[in-house]
PDB file of all heavy atoms in Angstrom:
ATOM      1  N   LEU A 322     109.776  72.384 109.458  1.00  0.00           N
ATOM      2  CA  LEU A 322     109.259  72.570 108.156  1.00  0.00           C
ATOM      3  C   LEU A 322     108.283  73.776 108.241  1.00  0.00           C
ATOM      4  O   LEU A 322     107.193  73.701 108.782  1.00  0.00           O
ATOM      5  CB  LEU A 322     108.383  71.186 107.790  1.00  0.00           C
ATOM      6  CG  LEU A 322     107.599  71.196 106.486  1.00  0.00           C
ATOM      7  CD1 LEU A 322     108.346  71.625 105.311  1.00  0.00           C
ATOM      8  CD2 LEU A 322     106.973  69.870 106.317  1.00  0.00           C
ATOM      9  N   SER A 323     108.825  75.027 107.744  1.00  0.00           N
ATOM     10  CA  SER A 323     108.235  76.198 108.155  1.00  0.00           C
ATOM     11  C   SER A 323     107.300  76.781 107.034  1.00  0.00           C
ATOM     12  O   SER A 323     106.335  76.117 106.672  1.00  0.00           O
ATOM     13  CB  SER A 323     109.275  77.169 108.536  1.00  0.00           C
ATOM     14  OG  SER A 323     109.991  76.669 109.596  1.00  0.00           O
ATOM     15  N   ALA A 324     107.579  77.978 106.480  1.00  0.00           N
ATOM     16  CA  ALA A 324     106.660  78.579 105.524  1.00  0.00           C
ATOM     17  C   ALA A 324     106.662  77.730 104.257  1.00  0.00           C
ATOM     18  O   ALA A 324     107.443  77.027 104.011  1.00  0.00           O
ATOM     19  CB  ALA A 324     107.168  79.954 105.173  1.00  0.00           C
ATOM     20  N   GLY A 325     105.414  77.720 103.594  1.00  0.00           N
ATOM     21  CA  GLY A 325     105.348  77.135 102.338  1.00  0.00           C
ATOM     22  C   GLY A 325     104.501  75.892 102.376  1.00  0.00           C
ATOM     23  O   GLY A 325     104.361  75.279 101.314  1.00  0.00           O
ATOM     24  N   ARG A 326     104.177  75.382 103.466  1.00  0.00           N
ATOM     25  CA  ARG A 326     103.570  74.105 103.619  1.00  0.00           C
ATOM     26  C   ARG A 326     102.128  74.144 102.822  1.00  0.00           C
ATOM     27  O   ARG A 326     101.672  73.108 102.340  1.00  0.00           O
ATOM     28  CB  ARG A 326     103.266  73.639 105.059  1.00  0.00           C
ATOM     29  CG  ARG A 326     104.361  73.089 105.729  1.00  0.00           C
ATOM     30  CD  ARG A 326     104.135  72.271 106.961  1.00  0.00           C
ATOM     31  NE  ARG A 326     103.377  72.911 107.931  1.00  0.00           N
ATOM     32  CZ  ARG A 326     102.081  72.543 108.295  1.00  0.00           C
ATOM     33  NH1 ARG A 326     101.514  71.421 107.787  1.00  0.00           N
ATOM     34  NH2 ARG A 326     101.372  73.213 109.192  1.00  0.00           N
ATOM     35  N   GLN A 327     101.570  75.317 102.856  1.00  0.00           N
ATOM     36  CA  GLN A 327     100.172  75.381 102.186  1.00  0.00           C
ATOM     37  C   GLN A 327     100.256  75.042 100.665  1.00  0.00           C
ATOM     38  O   GLN A 327      99.343  74.496 100.148  1.00  0.00           O
ATOM     39  CB  GLN A 327      99.515  76.809 102.334  1.00  0.00           C
ATOM     40  CG  GLN A 327      98.065  76.739 102.108  1.00  0.00           C
ATOM     41  CD  GLN A 327      97.367  78.105 102.502  1.00  0.00           C
ATOM     42  OE1 GLN A 327      97.937  79.238 102.150  1.00  0.00           O
ATOM     43  NE2 GLN A 327      96.256  78.089 103.072  1.00  0.00           N
ATOM     44  N   GLN A 328     101.470  75.389 100.153  1.00  0.00           N
ATOM     45  CA  GLN A 328     101.591  75.075  98.630  1.00  0.00           C
ATOM     46  C   GLN A 328     102.108  73.723  98.390  1.00  0.00           C
ATOM     47  O   GLN A 328     102.376  73.312  97.258  1.00  0.00           O
ATOM     48  CB  GLN A 328     102.628  76.217  98.126  1.00  0.00           C
ATOM     49  CG  GLN A 328     102.136  77.530  97.950  1.00  0.00           C
ATOM     50  CD  GLN A 328     101.959  78.334  99.403  1.00  0.00           C
ATOM     51  OE1 GLN A 328     102.718  78.049 100.370  1.00  0.00           O
ATOM     52  NE2 GLN A 328     101.025  79.200  99.516  1.00  0.00           N
ATOM     53  N   MET A 329     102.345  72.938  99.499  1.00  0.00           N
ATOM     54  CA  MET A 329     102.945  71.565  99.367  1.00  0.00           C
ATOM     55  C   MET A 329     101.862  70.546  99.416  1.00  0.00           C
ATOM     56  O   MET A 329     100.844  70.627 100.116  1.00  0.00           O
ATOM     57  CB  MET A 329     103.979  71.299 100.486  1.00  0.00           C
ATOM     58  CG  MET A 329     105.252  72.158 100.522  1.00  0.00           C
ATOM     59  SD  MET A 329     106.324  71.715 101.822  1.00  0.00           S
ATOM     60  CE  MET A 329     107.375  73.219 101.728  1.00  0.00           C
ATOM     61  N   SER A 330     102.074  69.396  98.706  1.00  0.00           N
ATOM     62  CA  SER A 330     101.185  68.274  98.839  1.00  0.00           C
ATOM     63  C   SER A 330     101.454  67.529 100.169  1.00  0.00           C
ATOM     64  O   SER A 330     102.527  67.753 100.734  1.00  0.00           O
ATOM     65  CB  SER A 330     101.490  67.263  97.717  1.00  0.00           C
ATOM     66  OG  SER A 330     102.761  66.723  97.793  1.00  0.00           O
ATOM     67  N   ASP A 331     100.493  66.768 100.519  1.00  0.00           N
ATOM     68  CA  ASP A 331     100.708  65.987 101.802  1.00  0.00           C
ATOM     69  C   ASP A 331     101.825  64.997 101.645  1.00  0.00           C
ATOM     70  O   ASP A 331     102.698  64.824 102.609  1.00  0.00           O
ATOM     71  CB  ASP A 331      99.428  65.121 102.074  1.00  0.00           C
ATOM     72  CG  ASP A 331      98.241  65.976 102.606  1.00  0.00           C
ATOM     73  OD1 ASP A 331      98.458  67.182 102.856  1.00  0.00           O
ATOM     74  OD2 ASP A 331      97.200  65.446 102.637  1.00  0.00           O
ATOM     75  N   GLU A 332     102.038  64.468 100.362  1.00  0.00           N
ATOM     76  CA  GLU A 332     103.146  63.495 100.069  1.00  0.00           C
ATOM     77  C   GLU A 332     104.521  64.218 100.241  1.00  0.00           C
ATOM     78  O   GLU A 332     105.425  63.671 100.853  1.00  0.00           O
ATOM     79  CB  GLU A 332     102.975  63.049  98.614  1.00  0.00           C
ATOM     80  CG  GLU A 332     101.783  62.068  98.548  1.00  0.00           C
ATOM     81  CD  GLU A 332     100.599  62.947  98.075  1.00  0.00           C
ATOM     82  OE1 GLU A 332     100.520  64.126  98.342  1.00  0.00           O
ATOM     83  OE2 GLU A 332      99.556  62.268  97.725  1.00  0.00           O
ATOM     84  N   LEU A 333     104.573  65.479  99.820  1.00  0.00           N
ATOM     85  CA  LEU A 333     105.861  66.196  99.911  1.00  0.00           C
ATOM     86  C   LEU A 333     106.199  66.498 101.369  1.00  0.00           C
ATOM     87  O   LEU A 333     107.305  66.339 101.878  1.00  0.00           O
ATOM     88  CB  LEU A 333     105.772  67.503  99.110  1.00  0.00           C
ATOM     89  CG  LEU A 333     107.089  68.354  99.185  1.00  0.00           C
ATOM     90  CD1 LEU A 333     108.297  67.648  98.795  1.00  0.00           C
ATOM     91  CD2 LEU A 333     106.818  69.657  98.288  1.00  0.00           C
ATOM     92  N   GLN A 334     105.103  66.785 102.135  1.00  0.00           N
ATOM     93  CA  GLN A 334     105.336  67.034 103.558  1.00  0.00           C
ATOM     94  C   GLN A 334     105.843  65.764 104.307  1.00  0.00           C
ATOM     95  O   GLN A 334     106.711  65.778 105.161  1.00  0.00           O
ATOM     96  CB  GLN A 334     104.047  67.651 104.319  1.00  0.00           C
ATOM     97  CG  GLN A 334     103.740  68.992 103.788  1.00  0.00           C
ATOM     98  CD  GLN A 334     102.523  69.515 104.545  1.00  0.00           C
ATOM     99  OE1 GLN A 334     102.602  69.687 105.789  1.00  0.00           O
ATOM    100  NE2 GLN A 334     101.433  69.768 103.866  1.00  0.00           N
ATOM    101  N   ALA A 335     105.198  64.571 103.877  1.00  0.00           N
ATOM    102  CA  ALA A 335     105.674  63.312 104.449  1.00  0.00           C
ATOM    103  C   ALA A 335     107.152  63.121 104.205  1.00  0.00           C
ATOM    104  O   ALA A 335     107.887  62.542 105.087  1.00  0.00           O
ATOM    105  CB  ALA A 335     104.765  62.180 103.995  1.00  0.00           C
ATOM    106  N   LEU A 336     107.471  63.404 103.018  1.00  0.00           N
ATOM    107  CA  LEU A 336     108.992  63.237 102.715  1.00  0.00           C
ATOM    108  C   LEU A 336     109.823  64.063 103.549  1.00  0.00           C
ATOM    109  O   LEU A 336     110.913  63.657 103.977  1.00  0.00           O
ATOM    110  CB  LEU A 336     109.240  63.603 101.104  1.00  0.00           C
ATOM    111  CG  LEU A 336     108.954  62.391 100.084  1.00  0.00           C
ATOM    112  CD1 LEU A 336     109.365  62.983  98.808  1.00  0.00           C
ATOM    113  CD2 LEU A 336     109.932  61.273 100.492  1.00  0.00           C
ATOM    114  N   CYS A 337     109.368  65.408 103.850  1.00  0.00           N
ATOM    115  CA  CYS A 337     110.266  66.229 104.638  1.00  0.00           C
ATOM    116  C   CYS A 337     110.320  65.567 106.052  1.00  0.00           C
ATOM    117  O   CYS A 337     111.332  65.750 106.660  1.00  0.00           O
ATOM    118  CB  CYS A 337     109.480  67.593 104.771  1.00  0.00           C
ATOM    119  SG  CYS A 337     109.602  68.508 103.179  1.00  0.00           S
ATOM    120  N   PHE A 338     109.188  65.093 106.530  1.00  0.00           N
ATOM    121  CA  PHE A 338     109.251  64.455 107.832  1.00  0.00           C
ATOM    122  C   PHE A 338     110.193  63.240 107.830  1.00  0.00           C
ATOM    123  O   PHE A 338     110.946  62.996 108.761  1.00  0.00           O
ATOM    124  CB  PHE A 338     107.910  63.910 108.336  1.00  0.00           C
ATOM    125  CG  PHE A 338     106.806  65.089 108.600  1.00  0.00           C
ATOM    126  CD1 PHE A 338     105.581  65.019 108.125  1.00  0.00           C
ATOM    127  CD2 PHE A 338     107.253  66.182 109.274  1.00  0.00           C
ATOM    128  CE1 PHE A 338     104.644  66.050 108.349  1.00  0.00           C
ATOM    129  CE2 PHE A 338     106.315  67.336 109.531  1.00  0.00           C
ATOM    130  CZ  PHE A 338     105.029  67.185 109.048  1.00  0.00           C
TER     131      PHE A 338
END
Side-chain angles (χ1 to χ4, degrees):
L322 170 56
S323 300
R326 283 201 306 120
Q327 199 175 41
Q328 290 73 27
M329 290 177 197
S330 67
D331 289 346
E332 296 84 344
L333 177 56
Q334 292 185 60
L336 272 180
C337 291
F338 296 134

